[in-house]
């Protein structure tokens, strides 16, 4: 017995667009945060749904796209010898760039005065 017979593609990546998923309407007894009107809160909710949909679409476009393993190793030079290991301190790993400076030097306090003693 095939449980997915009525809808074979319901669990495929990207199937969320085919489903009838909608944002609920705010009623008289619905929660609205203090400081926001019902219209403002509805606008915030719709913005969150739009952001979630855009992120999902971005990820659907990337689905099934993979890096060629052999091409990666040929580019790195691992297919012929082990020079890649000797040439860098990363041992073949690609390092990610970070948003912040994690060295810790930018916020160090100077405890020594630079003024010359007389």
């Amino acid at each position: 017995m095939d449980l997915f017979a009525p809808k074979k593609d319901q669990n495929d990546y990207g199937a969320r667009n085919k489903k009838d998923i909608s944002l609920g309407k705010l009623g008289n007894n619905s929660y609205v945060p203090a400081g926001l009107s019902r219209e403002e809160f509805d606008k915030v909710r719709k913005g969150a749904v739009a952001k979630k949909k855009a992120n999902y679409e971005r990820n659907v476009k990337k689905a099934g796209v993979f890096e060629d393993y052999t091409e990666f190793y040929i580019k790195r030079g691992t297919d012929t010898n082990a020079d890649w290991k000797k040439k860098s301190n990363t041992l073949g790993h690609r390092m990610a760039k970070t948003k912040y400076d994690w060295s810790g030097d930018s916020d160090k306090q100077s405890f020594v005065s630079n003024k010359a003693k007389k």
Side-chain angles (χ1 to χ4, degrees):
M1 182 170 146
D2 187 8
L3 296 176
F4 296 112
K7 291 186 178 180
K8 293 253 184 232
D9 62 345
Q10 69 184 358
N11 285 336
D12 292 345
Y13 202 67
R16 186 186 296 178
N17 296 331
K18 299 174 188 170
K19 296 179 182 178
D20 185 24
I21 300 173
S22 62
L23 181 66
K25 293 186 172 77
L26 292 174
N28 291 335
N29 294 329
S30 298
Y31 169 77
V32 177
L36 290 177
S37 68
R38 185 177 307 281
E39 292 78 24
E40 290 172 334
F41 184 51
D42 199 35
K43 184 178 177 182
V44 169
R45 292 174 69 216
K46 287 179 181 175
V49 169
K51 182 178 176 184
K52 185 177 179 181
K53 182 176 176 64
N55 187 42
Y56 185 74
E57 288 299 321
R58 184 178 54 88
N59 288 331
V60 167
K61 289 177 187 172
K62 293 190 294 185
V65 178
F66 301 102
E67 185 175 10
D68 185 13
Y69 193 68
T70 309
E71 187 178 310
F72 167 75
Y73 276 97
I74 290 172
K75 186 167 51 170
R76 188 171 80 169
T78 346
D79 61 324
T80 56
N81 55 30
D83 285 345
W84 59 272
K85 193 171 184 178
K86 299 172 192 165
K87 291 181 181 176
S88 69
N89 61 351
T90 61
L91 296 178
H93 295 283
R94 289 184 284 180
M95 299 308 218
K97 292 182 181 179
T98 60
K99 184 175 180 180
Y100 303 102
D101 176 22
W102 295 100
S103 67
D105 293 337
S106 63
D107 61 345
K108 275 188 181 175
Q109 291 182 353
S110 176
F111 294 106
V112 180
S113 175
N114 290 337
K115 295 179 183 176
K117 293 183 180 181
K118 292 182 183 179

